Amino acid sequence: MRRIANMYTIDEASSILGVHPTTLRRWEKERKITSSRTTGGHRRYAVKDLSAIKRDLKPLQDKIVIGYCRVSSSDQKEELKRQVHTVSQYCSANGYQFRFIKDLGSGMLSIITVFSSRLYGSRSHKRKKLQQAVKQVIEDNGHAYV
């Protein structure tokens, strides 16, 4: 492949910015970044455009990562501990600041809730509970973003 001076492929650009290639495609649709196209239709990103975007990005290390771990019954408490441990290791290895939302479902009640939600609409009480938990984490840490 012939390298075009000061231009990067979508994979190279996403690696430089630390985002997924799909994010770059979405940003292009939203006109946050522009790309040139090769004769074959492949995207190429200019160094100056990547530099401008990179200045505006907040590193993930400056944000709080929310880990959501859930099991469906109290019989699975050990599985919940394993999930929290695994996610903690991942976040620590990547240098993230993180907090957890742990959800211990109630077995049969959860099954009934899921079934009834399909009959009667969304599980708004669960969504509200999750939103309240995320809001509390944000308030506890003094951040307006997650």
Side-chain angles (χ1 to χ4, degrees):
M1 173 177 22
R2 197 178 104 223
R3 156 96 25 223
I4 302 171
N6 297 322
M7 299 293 280
Y8 291 98
T9 66
I10 192 166
D11 287 331
E12 293 167 333
S14 65
S15 179
I16 289 167
L17 295 175
V19 298
H20 195 274
T22 303
T23 302
L24 281 178
R25 290 184 192 100
R26 187 182 75 244
W27 287 350
E28 192 172 345
K29 284 180 187 174
E30 296 169 354
R31 301 188 190 285
K32 292 181 181 180
I33 192 168
T34 58
S35 69
S36 301
R37 300 290 178 127
T38 65
T39 54
H42 298 280
R43 290 175 170 87
R44 295 292 184 265
Y45 295 92
V47 171
K48 66 178 178 61
D49 293 334
L50 297 178
S51 296
I53 288 282
K54 193 163 182 125
R55 276 192 309 270
D56 295 337
L57 287 178
K58 279 199 175 284
L60 192 54
Q61 286 77 8
D62 291 348
K63 296 183 180 181
I64 302 288
V65 173
I66 304 296
Y68 179 68
C69 300
R70 183 184 193 283
V71 293
S72 58
S73 72
S74 59
D75 297 345
Q76 298 173 310
K77 287 181 182 178
E78 290 304 312
E79 171 62 17
L80 183 61
K81 288 179 186 177
R82 188 193 64 72
Q83 286 180 26
V84 169
H85 178 73
T86 301
V87 176
S88 292
Q89 285 183 318
Y90 176 82
C91 290
S92 294
N94 287 288
Y96 303 152
Q97 295 179 42
F98 57 95
R99 302 291 182 273
F100 283 101
I101 297 172
K102 296 181 269 186
D103 189 5
L104 183 60
S106 57
M108 196 58 160
L109 182 59
S110 292
I111 294 169
I112 292 168
T113 302
V114 169
F115 179 76
S116 64
S117 71
R118 291 185 181 174
L119 288 176
Y120 303 113
S122 71
R123 297 171 7 182
S124 62
H125 68 283
K126 290 209 179 250
R127 187 186 80 248
K128 286 178 186 173
K129 183 179 173 184
L130 180 59
Q131 287 172 333
Q132 287 171 343
V134 170
K135 185 177 179 180
Q136 187 63 47
V137 168
I138 292 169
E139 289 172 0
D140 290 348
N141 291 285
H143 294 285
Y145 57 85
V146 178

